């Protein structure tokens, strides 16, 4: 049975369109050019951070984040950046009696923002900076498993990426759900792994409640 649901952050809960637009502005690159390069890098199976290198060789993402903060332009997201289905889905899953968590590759600052937004809605919020391990490293999912009070095969990890989310979570013995939104899921949606690995493929997080109930009913 699925007893716990753990969510990725970017393009799962948070629409990152605005934030990536601000990175284009910071680099002084037209937004449509930045977005086109972003899609090309993802389609080539490369790390998204290589996008920045294409426009500024030697770009250090952590250093640039600090510079943005010092310039009064820190990376940020808020209620308006959440996908519309997030709040209703969390409320329904909580009403279903499921244990809920949020865990993604995020900075300490982003972790603080997540806690401001979701502390009352979930049982755990963890980030790669908190744990010193980042996806797709299996150590990240081992850390998830340590803090979830159920066995790995009772955990559903929900994300938008085959490479960072589904593949390592399945390797860790968890169930997965792929949500069809954002650049990664859009590009990877019809791949063999995107069809084979997840227990669920959804267009909206609001579909999860019914799918989990059906799954749990079929395992009895």
């Amino acid at each position: 049975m699925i007893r716990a649901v753990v969510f990725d952050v970017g393009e799962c809960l948070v629409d990152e369109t605005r934030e990536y637009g601000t990175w284009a502005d910071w680099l002084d690159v037209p937004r449509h050019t930045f977005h086109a390069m972003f899609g090309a890098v993802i389609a080539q199976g490369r790390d998204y951070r290589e996008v920045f290198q294409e426009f500024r060789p030697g770009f250090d993402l952590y250093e640039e984040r600090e510079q943005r903060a010092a310039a009064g332009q820190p990376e940020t997201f808020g209620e308006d950046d959440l996908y519309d289905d997030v709040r209703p889905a969390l409320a329904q899953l909580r009403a279903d009696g499921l244990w809920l968590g949020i865990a993604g590759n995020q900075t300490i600052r982003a972790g603080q923002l997540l806690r401001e937004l979701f502390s009352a809605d979930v049982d755990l919020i963890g980030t790669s900076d908190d744990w010193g391990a980042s996806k797709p490293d299996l150590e990240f999912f081992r850390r998830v498993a340590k803090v979830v009070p159920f066995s790995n095969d009772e955990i559903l990890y929900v994300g938008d990426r085959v490479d960072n989310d589904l593949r390592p979570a399945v390797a860790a013995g968890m169930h997965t759900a792929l949500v069809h939104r954002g650049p990664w899921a859009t590009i990877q949606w019809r791949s063999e792994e995107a069809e084979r690995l997840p227990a669920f493929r959804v267009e909206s997080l609001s579909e999860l409640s019914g799918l989990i109930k059906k799954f749990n009913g079929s395992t009895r």
Side-chain angles (χ1 to χ4, degrees):
M1 293 182 68
I2 293 171
R3 301 181 186 275
V5 183
V6 180
F7 294 89
D8 177 36
V9 180
E11 297 308 332
C12 182
L13 302 179
V14 178
D15 182 340
E16 297 179 312
T17 300
R18 182 175 62 84
E19 185 55 34
Y20 281 120
T22 64
W23 272 116
D25 298 342
W26 180 256
L27 290 166
D28 197 25
V29 173
R31 290 191 174 195
H32 71 282
T33 301
F34 182 88
H35 292 148
M37 180 60 73
F38 198 98
V41 167
I42 294 170
Q44 292 166 12
R46 297 157 60 192
D47 190 304
Y48 82 96
R49 287 168 291 193
E50 294 184 38
V51 175
F52 301 98
Q53 300 293 331
E54 295 288 345
F55 296 111
R56 188 184 297 173
F59 185 94
D60 185 313
L61 185 56
Y62 274 88
E63 182 179 317
E64 294 290 335
R65 281 175 174 147
E66 293 300 317
Q67 291 184 20
R68 280 188 56 171
Q73 302 176 46
E75 285 189 298
T76 190
F77 54 85
E79 190 71 32
D80 290 344
D81 298 299
L82 302 184
Y83 280 103
D84 291 342
D85 57 1
V86 171
R87 295 291 184 193
L90 291 177
Q92 183 59 60
L93 293 169
R94 173 69 85 195
D96 293 342
L98 293 162
W99 189 98
L100 302 179
I102 296 172
N105 283 353
Q106 300 292 327
T107 63
I108 290 174
R109 173 179 171 76
Q112 293 170 342
L113 296 173
L114 289 168
R115 290 178 180 94
E116 292 171 6
L117 288 167
F118 294 112
S119 286
D121 306 292
V122 300
D123 300 286
L124 169 85
I125 296 172
T127 72
S128 53
D129 271 14
D130 293 331
W131 293 337
S134 59
K135 298 182 294 182
D137 192 329
L138 273 177
E139 181 59 29
F140 179 92
F141 291 91
R142 294 188 188 104
R143 296 301 297 267
V144 171
K146 286 180 181 178
V147 295
V148 176
F150 301 103
S151 61
N152 289 26
D153 63 357
E154 294 177 312
I155 300 170
L156 176 73
Y157 190 81
V158 184
D160 66 300
R161 295 180 60 172
V162 170
D163 50 341
N164 257 30
D165 302 325
L166 272 61
R167 194 183 297 151
V170 168
M174 300 176 185
H175 301 289
T176 60
L178 178 64
V179 59
H180 191 192
R181 58 189 176 207
W184 280 276
T186 300
I187 290 170
Q188 298 173 347
W189 187 252
R190 292 182 177 84
S191 69
E192 185 270 338
E193 283 186 300
E195 295 184 348
R196 172 176 55 84
L197 290 178
F200 313 126
R201 287 160 50 93
V202 299
E203 298 291 335
S204 167
L205 299 182
S206 296
E207 298 172 45
L208 291 174
S209 174
L211 290 169
I212 292 170
K213 288 176 182 176
K214 183 177 180 180
F215 179 91
N216 286 347
S218 69
T219 62
R220 292 175 182 173

